[in-house]
Amino acid sequence: MTSTASVFRPVAPPQVIENAFSAEQHARMLEVVRTNGPWSLILAQHFKSPEEVIATTSGLVPEGFTPTWDMFLSPVFRGYLAKSSTVLYPEIEDCFLNKGFLDLVRGYWGARYATPENMLFNIQGPCQGGGSPHVDATRYRGISFHNTPIWLMNTMVKTGLFKQWQQKKAQVITWYYKGRVGGGFNYWPEGPQGQPTQIKAPMWGRAVVVENEMMFHTAETTGPATMRRPDGLTINTLMGADPQDPTGWQLTTEGAVIQRLPEEEFRFLVHWGADIFMDLSELKRALDHSDDLTHEMVFDTIIADLKVRGEHFDIPSDPLTDKAFIGLLTRVYDPGQPAIVPPEPEERVAA
């Protein structure tokens, strides 16, 4: 059987670049974010239950313990700038249809073809650790976020059973943060049992070229400790431009302002992603859907593997949402948390 921890290594070490976007491009993207908000929590967009969050990251909860949203709430918010190879805001089309990025990701993989697939952003103020170390949703031919919850896609990669259908991906991830306290990027390029690497703030237009579906990573703790968990934060909290401050931001819950953030505490991440095809035959196989997975194939394969492993369980009528079954998969295929975690950033008190 495949060691779950050994699965998680990117095709190549991340490549750091500077000035990924021009100052003018950055200003246009930020204006889109300010104008079209407010934006919801990452958790609220991608998960239907706390059990799905656990399945997506790693780790286990004691038997009989019921996880709650409050265990995972982190004030990090998300929106999309492009989906399904289509830019959602024409004023930033050049940022998405980016030849420089395409050249970078083709070179990173040594591939012949690449297609820009999506572009999203994360925004936040002070935050504890940015969430548990995790991998991004791993996609497969026939299985994507259009038809499949993220927890299942990430469980599939943990099993090691679906490598032949896995879509090759690459990202260019860019940060804008002036770095008073923390705010960097932690990642484990040699797998979760290996040594971590850090990209430290300040980061202003710094980026990495990477395969984040196969590499554990997380944001470093950011900002003053007293601001990292605002009172009133819930799964429904939103973040948007502060109407009282032309460069500031605010968090609201049910319309009530629970936190105001000055520009200097604002961290902006832009995540550009591409599909990679090593050669023409791989591209054709993806386009003609001649070798796609279905949910039935996925669960038949996983259930057969569970039986080989000697697991005893009731086959669920709806495995996509059955919490007990999700918990079983989380336990069996858990790769564990990284063995070595970088120390927390120091918060220096002004003299």
Side-chain angles (χ1 to χ4, degrees):
M1 299 177 188
T2 304
S3 167
T4 54
S6 67
V7 167
F8 292 103
R9 297 191 181 196
V11 66
Q15 299 173 0
V16 179
I17 61 172
E18 303 289 347
N19 303 312
F21 295 100
S22 71
E24 191 268 341
Q25 286 177 318
H26 167 247
R28 277 190 281 126
M29 290 188 293
L30 195 58
E31 183 61 22
V32 166
V33 177
R34 292 190 67 86
T35 302
N36 293 278
W39 308 94
S40 56
L41 289 168
I42 294 176
L43 282 175
Q45 294 181 34
H46 295 299
F47 303 103
K48 294 182 179 179
S49 70
E51 287 83 359
E52 290 187 8
V53 181
I54 296 170
T56 300
T57 55
S58 59
L60 300 171
V61 295
E63 186 175 351
F65 180 82
T66 301
T68 65
W69 283 121
D70 196 58
M71 293 171 57
F72 305 103
L73 283 178
S74 180
V76 184
F77 303 79
R78 171 166 293 175
Y80 281 83
L81 303 173
K83 287 185 175 183
S84 299
S85 300
T86 305
V87 70
L88 301 180
Y89 305 95
E91 60 267 42
I92 58 168
E93 191 167 56
D94 60 308
C95 301
F96 179 59
L97 301 177
N98 193 316
K99 184 181 184 305
F101 286 6
L102 287 168
D103 289 341
L104 285 169
V105 297
R106 280 190 292 257
Y108 178 73
W109 269 92
R112 188 170 181 184
Y113 301 105
T115 302
E117 196 276 325
N118 73 81
M119 191 174 185
L120 59 84
F121 62 86
N122 293 349
I123 55 174
Q124 66 174 87
C127 179
Q128 182 67 41
S132 299
H134 62 281
V135 292
D136 290 349
T138 308
R139 302 176 193 179
Y140 299 83
R141 289 193 301 276
I143 300 290
S144 74
F145 71 89
H146 297 295
N147 61 9
T148 305
I150 286 176
W151 76 262
L152 179 57
M153 290 189 284
N154 281 0
T155 298
M156 288 169 65
V157 74
K158 292 175 187 178
T159 70
L161 299 171
F162 303 98
K163 189 69 175 178
Q164 74 182 75
W165 293 278
Q166 187 172 331
Q167 172 64 59
K168 296 179 175 66
K169 304 285 289 186
Q171 298 80 36
V172 179
I173 303 173
T174 310
W175 296 273
Y176 293 91
Y177 177 64
K178 295 179 179 178
R180 289 177 60 192
V181 180
F185 180 61
N186 299 333
Y187 62 96
W188 287 260
E190 299 301 323
Q193 303 308 308
Q195 287 285 340
T197 301
Q198 286 188 293
I199 298 175
K200 301 291 285 185
M203 303 185 290
W204 199 258
R206 180 173 296 165
V208 290
V209 186
V210 67
E211 185 193 15
N212 255 3
E213 290 84 2
M214 299 304 295
M215 183 181 76
F216 272 78
H217 61 278
T218 189
E220 184 185 29
T221 292
T222 304
T226 57
M227 298 177 67
R228 292 173 192 164
R229 184 65 182 260
D231 291 339
L233 181 69
T234 73
I235 194 68
N236 299 317
T237 297
L238 304 174
M239 181 174 179
D242 184 348
Q244 299 181 15
D245 182 346
T247 61
W249 301 82
Q250 65 179 21
L251 274 61
T252 60
T253 301
E254 303 296 337
V257 177
I258 64 168
Q259 188 177 53
R260 284 194 160 91
L261 298 170
E263 181 182 22
E264 59 266 23
E265 295 298 346
F266 175 67
R267 186 178 187 266
F268 181 37
L269 175 155
V270 181
H271 180 290
W272 179 95
D275 291 330
I276 305 295
F277 307 95
M278 300 303 291
D279 52 33
L280 188 58
S281 64
E282 190 168 77
L283 175 60
K284 287 181 176 178
R285 188 162 58 250
L287 294 176
D288 66 20
H289 301 284
S290 59
D291 188 29
D292 278 8
L293 281 169
T294 65
H295 289 155
E296 183 178 11
M297 292 167 64
V298 170
F299 286 117
D300 284 349
T301 301
I302 289 175
I303 287 170
D305 185 62
L306 291 172
K307 291 179 178 179
V308 169
R309 292 171 179 266
E311 296 291 335
H312 300 283
F313 57 96
D314 294 326
I315 296 177
S317 59
D318 184 7
L320 285 173
T321 61
D322 188 288
K323 293 181 179 180
F325 188 65
I326 293 171
L328 171 67
L329 301 188
T330 302
R331 174 178 62 79
V332 171
Y333 299 113
D334 176 32
Q337 284 288 305
I340 304 169
V341 178
E344 288 286 279
E346 292 184 11
E347 186 173 350
R348 296 180 176 84
V349 178

